[in-house]
């Protein structure tokens, strides 16, 4: 079977130390956990960062420090967030793109997000696509609800993103789409055949949806941003622990785990070996 790309979302914007003491917050902690996750089998690091007070920030300098710290420890593909924290301005959210990371998230629609609204207007979606193109950043189209696929396909039709597209289906956010097999099958049928796709199951859905993705030939995202538990009632002690479990299961399923360079080839990232 085909190689499996594991993305690790190490921190996110919403999880707090009150919820789990294992959340990395500082640049050293984030870089350490990112490197450990990479050593365990993650090829892509989905990156949010926090300021000195532990608050989510899109500050370019803070991102640069994190990227340098991760780069000094491992060769993972770094995918910066432009989803950031609910309520941040469009302008603020764009900031890390100028650092020309290999990838960035592109949230292709708006949803209720817990008790808040995660707003991504059609205007912002297009601006994100244009800025990513300007800086040579490959988008990962984030899909929190089925309509986001249609919005992503509109970008393709308008020539704002280039094929092959890469989608991440974020399943089980309260206010977003369900984390179940019929929804996943529907999503995979809606995207162009040359696309790559991964699944982020939120909370208790992380493991089950990762399994579904692996069986269906897709890729997988795990990490403390999406889920802080290893199993019911037991906190995950690190991002690497969540990655290592996927690696073990992938071995049983016969899905070889992609190294960062192999993931670069599968995702056709430019500027590196894209054979
Ligand atoms: N923090 C969420 C509101 C992304 O990184 O692009 C959005 C999010 C998605 O985490
Ligand atoms: Zn994120």
């Amino acid at each position: 079977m085909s190689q499996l790309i594991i993305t690790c979302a190490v921190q996110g914007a919403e999880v707090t130390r009150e919820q789990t003491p294992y959340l990395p917050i500082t640049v050293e902690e984030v870089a350490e956990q990112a490197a450990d996750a990479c050593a365990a089998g993650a090829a892509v690091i989905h990156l949010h960062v926090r300021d000195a007070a532990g608050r989510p920030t899109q500050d370019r300098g803070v991102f640069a420090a994190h990227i340098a710290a991760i780069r000094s420890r491992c060769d993972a593909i770094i995918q910066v967030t432009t989803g950031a924290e609910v309520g941040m301005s469009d302008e603020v959210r764009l900031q890390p793109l100028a650092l020309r990371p290999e990838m960035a998230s592109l949230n292709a629609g708006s949803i209720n997000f817990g008790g808040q609204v995660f707003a991504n207007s059609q205007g912002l979606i297009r601006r994100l696509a244009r800025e990513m193109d300007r800086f040579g950043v490959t988008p990962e189209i984030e899909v929190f609800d089925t309509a986001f696929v249609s919005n992503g396909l509109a970008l393709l039709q308008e020539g704002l993103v280039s094929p092959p597209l890469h989608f991440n289906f974020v399943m089980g956010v309260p206010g977003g789409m369900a984390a179940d097999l019929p929804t996943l099958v529907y999503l995979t049928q809606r995207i162009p055949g040359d696309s790559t796709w991964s699944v982020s199951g939120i909370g208790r859905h992380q493991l089950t949806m990762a399994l579904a993705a692996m069986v269906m030939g897709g890729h997988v995202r795990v990490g403390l941003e999406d889920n802080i538990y290893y199993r019911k009632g037991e906190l995950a002690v690190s991002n690497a622990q969540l990655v290592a479990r996927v690696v073990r299961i992938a071995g049983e399923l016969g899905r070889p785990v992609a190294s960062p360079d192999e993931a670069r080839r599968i995702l056709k990232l430019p500027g590196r070996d894209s054979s």
Side-chain angles (χ1 to χ4, degrees):
M1 272 178 104
S2 59
Q3 282 186 307
L4 173 71
I5 300 173
I6 302 174
T7 296
C8 187
V10 294
Q11 185 200 62
E14 288 79 27
V15 183
T16 66
R17 269 281 166 75
E18 284 67 47
Q19 293 171 305
T20 173
Y22 305 111
L23 183 74
I25 298 267
T26 67
V27 60
E28 286 302 309
E29 291 166 351
V30 169
E32 209 62 53
Q33 285 222 24
D36 289 349
C38 191
V44 181
I45 298 297
H46 172 77
L47 185 65
H48 289 248
V49 301
R50 310 239 176 155
D51 64 18
R55 295 282 316 141
T57 177
Q58 290 294 98
D59 182 272
R60 202 173 287 155
V62 179
F63 264 100
H66 281 72
I67 291 170
I70 296 170
R71 283 254 166 282
S72 72
R73 290 169 168 83
C74 69
D75 185 35
I77 297 164
I78 295 179
Q79 179 194 92
V80 303
T81 181
T82 65
E85 185 187 29
V86 171
M88 284 183 176
S89 73
D90 296 359
E91 205 61 43
V92 163
R93 285 171 53 179
L94 292 162
Q95 294 309 302
L97 294 179
L99 297 169
R100 300 180 180 274
E102 288 187 88
M103 294 186 81
S105 59
L106 198 173
N107 292 273
S110 303
I111 53 157
N112 289 298
F113 189 84
Q116 300 175 293
V117 177
F118 182 33
N120 295 282
S121 68
Q122 296 289 9
L124 173 61
I125 294 167
R126 279 158 185 75
R127 189 169 174 202
L128 285 165
R130 285 198 186 91
E131 290 291 292
M132 289 186 201
D133 184 51
R134 174 155 85 103
F135 291 116
V137 180
T138 299
E140 175 177 272
I141 300 176
E142 305 298 332
V143 175
F144 284 74
D145 206 349
T146 52
F148 288 30
V149 172
S150 310
N151 292 336
L153 296 180
L155 296 181
L156 186 61
Q157 272 192 334
E158 293 167 31
L160 294 171
V161 292
S162 315
L165 301 182
H166 178 62
F167 293 88
N168 182 43
F169 304 134
V170 186
M171 308 187 78
V173 169
M177 63 191 171
D180 60 27
L181 284 176
T183 307
L184 180 55
V185 169
Y186 170 77
L187 291 165
T188 59
Q189 289 170 344
R190 291 271 298 128
I191 61 177
D194 63 352
S195 308
T196 48
W197 57 273
S198 69
V199 174
S200 303
I202 300 301
R204 67 192 165 85
H205 302 295
Q206 186 164 84
L207 179 59
T208 48
M209 295 316 295
L211 275 161
M214 280 192 270
V215 170
M216 289 171 63
H219 303 287
V220 167
R221 176 172 121 174
V222 292
L224 296 176
E225 171 171 346
D226 299 338
N227 163 47
I228 62 173
Y229 290 100
Y230 189 77
R231 57 172 70 87
K232 190 172 166 59
E234 183 183 326
L235 289 171
V237 297
S238 67
N239 281 283
Q241 185 190 28
L242 295 169
V243 172
R245 174 165 62 181
V246 171
V247 171
R248 283 197 301 278
I249 297 168
E252 294 295 324
L253 293 174
R255 294 278 314 262
V257 173
S259 69
D261 274 342
E262 288 165 341
R264 287 181 176 98
R265 279 194 288 279
I266 295 166
L267 297 171
K268 308 246 182 322
L269 300 188
R272 304 252 180 173
D273 182 356
S274 56
S275 60

